[in-house]
Amino acid sequence: QVQLVESGGGLVQAGGSLRLSCSASGSIFKLTSMAWYRQAPGKQRRLVAGITSDGSPNYTDSAKGRFVISSDNAKNTVYLQMNSLKPEDTAVYSCNAVHEDAGGWSWPYWGQGTQVTVSS
């Protein structure tokens, strides 16, 4: 089992910044990728940005140019630096990790989510 704990959410004014963190713990063999998703009220959860175990990031259009995803493999932690925040970035941000066990099986895990609210 892998547990994910997010932190860093909160209330910020438009144009401000926040840094989210997600730390994985438990019986970790290999985390092949980690990612941030968000779900706004009344909408589906959507990918924001992801990063592979070799540090290759990928961003959706909503994050490009404003958000930066990074990771510290030694700490099993992924970060999301969010800059130039807009009211439409308001959502619950959840961390996702894909864990590969010793047998080569991959399983997704989710954190509980952290609220980000951007006021206009």
Side-chain angles (χ1 to χ4, degrees), residues 12-28:
V12 65
Q13 288 189 330
S17 298
L18 282 175
R19 188 191 194 209
L20 306 183
S21 299
C22 171
S23 295
S25 62
S27 301
I28 296 173

Side-chain angles (χ1 to χ4, degrees), residues 60-98:
T60 60
D61 288 344
S62 62
K64 285 179 182 176
R66 298 189 299 128
F67 297 178
V68 178
I69 189 168
S70 61
S71 61
D72 184 334
N73 290 343
K75 296 181 179 179
N76 292 318
T77 298
V78 64
Y79 306 95
L80 186 67
Q81 177 67 44
M82 304 188 293
N83 303 316
S84 303
L85 283 162
K86 306 174 182 179
E88 50 264 44
D89 294 318
T90 295
V92 175
Y93 284 71
S94 298
C95 177
N96 167 274
V98 177

Side-chain angles (χ1 to χ4, degrees), residues 53-65:
S53 57
D54 64 0
S56 298
N58 64 88
Y59 299 95
T60 60
D61 288 344
S62 62
K64 285 179 182 176

